[in-house]
Amino acid sequence: SAFWPGEALVLRAEAKGDPLSVTAELPDFPQFAAVLRALGDTGPQGGDIFEGRLWSASMTRVIGSGPARLPVRFRASYADGAELVCDVYITIDQDIGPLQLHRSM
């Protein structure tokens, strides 16, 4: 998917095993991070669904005009110290047309 730098990233993740927290961040820009909240729903793999939003007014200025392929890093942390990490790649591109709308690629 392609996003423009000022677009909020609406995030959704499924995590099994009762994590203490589920977070998402842009590792290339660690100041942009979010804590996802449990929805109380179960996903197709049998885990809990977590949702959140990653956005800052400074994203357009900091990330730049792109296009750039960036990972969104999801991290589930557990009471025993274990962590599960998954990177999902997105494209950030300022030049996606006059309406600056999200698009699927």
Side-chain angles (χ1 to χ4, degrees), residues 15-87:
K16 292 183 178 181
D18 198 24
L20 294 175
S21 67
V22 175
T23 61
E25 69 172 351
L26 299 177
D28 295 349
F29 303 95
Q31 66 270 39
F32 303 128
V35 175
L36 282 61
R37 64 180 176 81
L39 294 182
D41 295 333
T42 302
Q45 301 299 319
D48 295 328
I49 299 296
F50 291 79
E51 192 172 80
R53 189 170 178 239
L54 200 157
W55 182 82
S56 169
S58 66
M59 286 175 76
T60 304
R61 178 178 41 80
V62 173
I63 293 176
S65 61
R69 189 167 183 262
L70 300 173
V72 176
R73 179 162 295 152
F74 292 89
R75 181 182 318 268
S77 300
Y78 296 87
D80 64 358
E83 291 187 331
L84 292 177
V85 177
C86 179
D87 287 349

